[in-house]
Each structure stands twice: as structure tokens, then as C-alpha cells.
Amino acid sequence: MTGSAETRADGSTASGGRRGFATRLTRASAGLVLGSFTAGAEMALLVLAAPAMACAFVFSRGRRTVPRVVASGAVAAARLEHRRLAAFFGHREAAEYGPARALAYLVLRVPVGLLGGAILILIVYGAVVGAALLASWWITGDHLDDIPPEPLIVLYVAVSGAILLFIAVQGLAGVVALERKVARRLGRSPLAEYERRIEELSVSRAEVVDAVDDERRRIERDLHDGVQQRLVALGMLIGRARRAGDGERARELLRQAHEESGRALEDLREVTWRVYPAALDGEGLRAALETVAERSPLPVAIDYEPSGRSPHAVETAAYFVVCEAVTNAAKHSGATRVAVRVTATGTADGEASGAGRGGAIGVRIEDDGRGGADPGGGGLAGLARRVAALDGTFTVDSPPGGPTVIAAELPCG
């Protein structure tokens, strides 16, 4: 018997999703209502603080611009606002407010909060008017403005009400975005921002060292287990051929040695290619990716958009992201095809780019395999570290059943 709740691929249910949406909507509405009240209180605080600050500035001859009582109130109000944003809107960024920064935050935040309150009042007013209109049409019979509920009138009112409600909801979403943006801009001091950046660079440097060390060990393993073993076998075949008394046996051993030398050369070429493809230097990222597609056992479709060359480090990172993703798809995913898309974003001044400084290179690899790729695995984790070293972003989306999508964005400057 089929249950009432529709089961989705990720195990959640449609009814659960609706309950989650209703919970988020209720929480956001409560946050906006509370924010409109706190905006009124903060406006009163700013009005009272203005003469106190003017007096402090005059009598301290400019040495103290924020009186202690005003500073305490502003900092406390800013911290309360930050907790409200975290509780109702999921704003998780840490904040540190000094007196001047807290006052600046309140000055910017108060009009935003009042705007949210005004939109909420308009929504409530519209709901009351709509309810009164419906009651007059079909319950009391005392029609507002003496307009009976004819079909065209009902349709006109319904469409107008829906449009106004949509605009009001968009306005509330904009208020939430503004609240979070103001908190993000003024909630973190420059010193804290520098410290955060230094911490990120320290972690990135350590991860780059680990990635290089992993790469070195992989190369050593490939040389030891592949090329070296074939060269040993080649030497043994040649030695046996020299000691063979039978000419026919010697020719057979030399034939085997010749074949083994070819395999050793192929292994050495493979290792060299995995270390760094020569095509990347001479012909660019497009040619290197086309070679990856030719060498892959799976059909690989490449959609390449950039028109120019990117910085060397960016092209190298993009190449290894694609190469590792295609290799994983061929070895582990059971995929039958892979699609690679390389895009370019423009520079800050709007100039079309794809390679120049100020833009970014986006790489997206999708296969139709069974999914379940582990982002913490050695290969993918190494790619994430390589991308992070360039201040890029790296994501892996691989639900059970597939498809697997690996994406990276690499800034060019």
C-alpha cells in the first residue's frame, strides 16, 4: 500500500519538505516581526545617543566621540541583532563589534528593519481588506463600494491580490538579504578579517605541501611498481638470451625482450604524462583535455569555451581536475560517458575573458555512473587542496545512484 508521503531520492519526503519549508517561513516571518520592533527601539537609542555624543565630543575636545553608556547600549543592541539573525535567518558568520562599528551598524540596520515592518503591515492590511471583501460578497451581502461579485470582478481582484502578495514577499526576501549583508559588512573588523585570511593561507600552504608530498609518493610508486619492474624483466630476458646455447631460443628471448622494452617505454610515457603533459605548455588546456579524452576508455565529450590562455597554474589545476575525474569515472563509477565543460567568466570591468586576470575558469565534469564518490578520498581530497591553493572552489556532488558532478572554479588573478 502506498503511503501518503512521496519518497524522494535522498530519503526525504514531500510532506517533510513542506513541513520544513513551513517551519523556515514561520521562523523568517517571526524574525522580521521581531526585527521591526527592535528597529524601533534602536532608532530611539540612536535619537537619544545623538545629543550625548555631541556633548561628549564638545567637552572632551574631540578625544571621546562615543560616551561609555552609548557604547555599551550600541554594542549590546548589535550583539542582540546578530543573535536574532542567527536564530531566525541562519546567519552563522562570527561578528565582533566595537562602539563605533556597532553604531554604524545600527544606523544602517534601522531603516532596513523599519522597511521590513512596513511591508509586513501592508501584507496584514491587504489580508484584512481581502477578508472583508470576501465576507461582503458571500456572507453579509453588504457589498463594498456597491460592487457585486461578478466573475470578471472576482478574477480582477484575485489576480491583483496575487501580484501584490508576490511583490510583498519579494520585498521581505530583499529585507532579509539586506539585513545579512549589513551584518556581514560591519560585523567583522579589518583586523579579524586579516587574521581569518592569514589562517586560511596557513591551512592552504600546509595542504599544498601535503598534496605535493602525495604526488611525489605516487610518482615513486608508479616508477617502482611499473617501470622499474619492466626494466628488471627486460634485463633478465637479455641475460637469458646471451646465455642460451640454442639460436632459436635466443631469438625468442630477444623477441620477448623487444616487446618488454616497448611496454616499459609505454609505462614510462604514461608516468611522464601523469606528472605533467607536454601539450599543456605548448598547445594549451584545450589540446591537453582533448588528449585526455582520446586516452580515456570512456567516451568523453568536451565543451570548451575560453578563447585565450589562462595563467599557467590555473591551466595546470584545471587539467588535473579533469584528468582525475575522468580517471575515477572510468575506474570506479561504472559510467558509460563523461561530459566535460570548461567555461570562462569575464573580468571585473566586463571584458570577455576566459583566460585573463580578473576572470575565472570553471570546470564541470559529469558522468552517468552509480555515484557514491567520497570527497574525502585521496584523489578528490588532493584535487580540493590543489584548487584551494589557488583560492578556488571545489565541489563534489555524487548521490547514490548518480550522477556524479565534480566542479571547480579557479580565479585567474
Side-chain angles (χ1 to χ4, degrees):
M1 181 177 179
T2 304
S4 58
E6 179 185 355
T7 302
R8 294 176 176 172
D10 59 358
S12 64
T13 63
S15 60
R18 287 193 291 270
R19 285 195 296 272
F21 175 76
T23 301
R24 291 194 298 272
L25 182 61
T26 303
R27 184 183 295 123
S29 300
L32 287 167
V33 172
L34 182 59
S36 63
F37 283 110
T38 58
E42 289 155 4
M43 185 172 64
L45 172 65
L46 292 175
V47 170
L48 295 175
M53 292 181 63
C55 292
F57 182 80
V58 171
F59 290 108
S60 68
R61 297 181 180 180
R63 292 190 297 272
R64 175 179 292 178
T65 56
V66 183
R68 186 170 303 170
V69 62
V70 174
S72 300
V75 171
R79 288 175 178 172
L80 284 175
E81 287 295 342
H82 194 78
R83 292 176 184 173
R84 181 180 64 84
L85 292 177
F88 293 100
F89 303 136
H91 184 74
R92 302 299 180 196
E93 296 184 16
E96 181 181 351
Y97 295 102
R101 187 171 292 274
L103 279 173
Y105 169 69
L106 294 181
V107 168
L108 292 179
R109 192 264 148 191
V110 164
V112 178
L114 294 177
L115 176 61
I119 295 175
L120 287 172
I121 290 174
L122 289 176
I123 291 177
V124 172
Y125 175 76
V128 171
V129 171
L133 186 62
L134 293 178
S136 70
W137 278 349
W138 291 302
I139 298 178
T140 64
D142 185 14
H143 302 151
L144 295 178
D145 296 332
D146 296 328
I147 300 176
E150 296 179 357
L152 286 179
I153 296 298
V154 173
L155 179 62
Y156 168 76
V157 172
V159 171
S160 301
I163 292 174
L164 291 176
L165 179 61
F166 176 78
I167 294 174
V169 171
Q170 291 299 313
L172 291 178
V175 168
V176 173
L178 278 175
E179 289 235 39
R180 300 181 68 167
K181 187 172 184 179
V182 171
R184 187 178 299 113
R185 286 290 180 89
L186 295 175
R188 181 174 291 167
S189 69
L191 178 60
E193 183 67 18
Y194 290 144
E195 291 176 347
R196 183 190 64 81
R197 183 60 179 157
I198 290 172
E199 183 178 357
E200 284 183 356
L201 292 175
S202 299
V203 173
S204 176
R205 183 187 62 180
E207 290 179 344
V208 168
V209 172
D210 289 343
V212 172
D213 193 48
D214 290 344
E215 190 73 10
R216 179 184 59 79
R217 286 198 296 269
R218 185 186 63 78
I219 295 170
E220 290 176 351
R221 186 171 60 251
D222 289 346
L223 290 174
H224 181 269
D225 297 342
V227 179
Q228 180 175 319
Q229 298 302 319
R230 292 204 180 278
L231 291 177
V232 170
L234 175 62
M236 292 176 64
L237 287 171
I238 294 176
R240 291 170 59 190
R242 292 180 60 187
R243 292 191 299 272
D246 184 2
E248 184 65 26
R249 176 61 177 166
R251 283 192 294 273
E252 173 63 20
L253 289 171
L254 285 175
R255 185 190 63 79
Q256 294 180 17
H258 182 262
E259 292 176 355
E260 193 66 20
S261 67
R263 287 190 286 268
L265 183 61
E266 184 64 28
D267 284 357
L268 184 60
R269 188 179 295 120
E270 182 70 22
V271 171
T272 305
W273 178 265
R274 292 181 64 185
V275 172
Y276 187 81
L280 197 56
D281 266 342
E283 303 174 58
L285 180 59
R286 179 198 287 266
L289 295 182
E290 288 173 350
T291 307
V292 171
E294 292 171 0
R295 298 165 66 91
S296 172
L298 296 176
V300 178
I302 295 179
D303 181 6
Y304 192 90
E305 178 184 292
S307 56
R309 295 293 300 268
S310 299
H312 175 71
V314 172
E315 286 194 338
T316 303
Y319 167 79
F320 279 107
V321 167
V322 175
C323 190
E324 183 72 22
V326 171
T327 302
N328 285 345
K331 288 184 177 179
H332 308 298
S333 72
T336 60
R337 62 176 180 80
V338 179
V340 177
R341 178 170 172 76
V342 183
T343 57
T345 58
T347 55
D349 58 1
E351 182 183 354
S353 178
R357 293 190 178 277
I361 293 292
V363 179
R364 186 179 188 275
I365 307 98
E366 179 177 358
D367 67 57
D368 62 348
R370 66 178 72 92
D374 180 13
L380 294 178
L383 291 179
R385 289 195 295 264
R386 186 187 287 268
V387 173
L390 297 174
D391 282 342
T393 59
F394 181 80
T395 59
V396 178
D397 182 16
S398 183
T404 296
V405 178
I406 297 174
E409 183 166 305
L410 299 156
C412 296

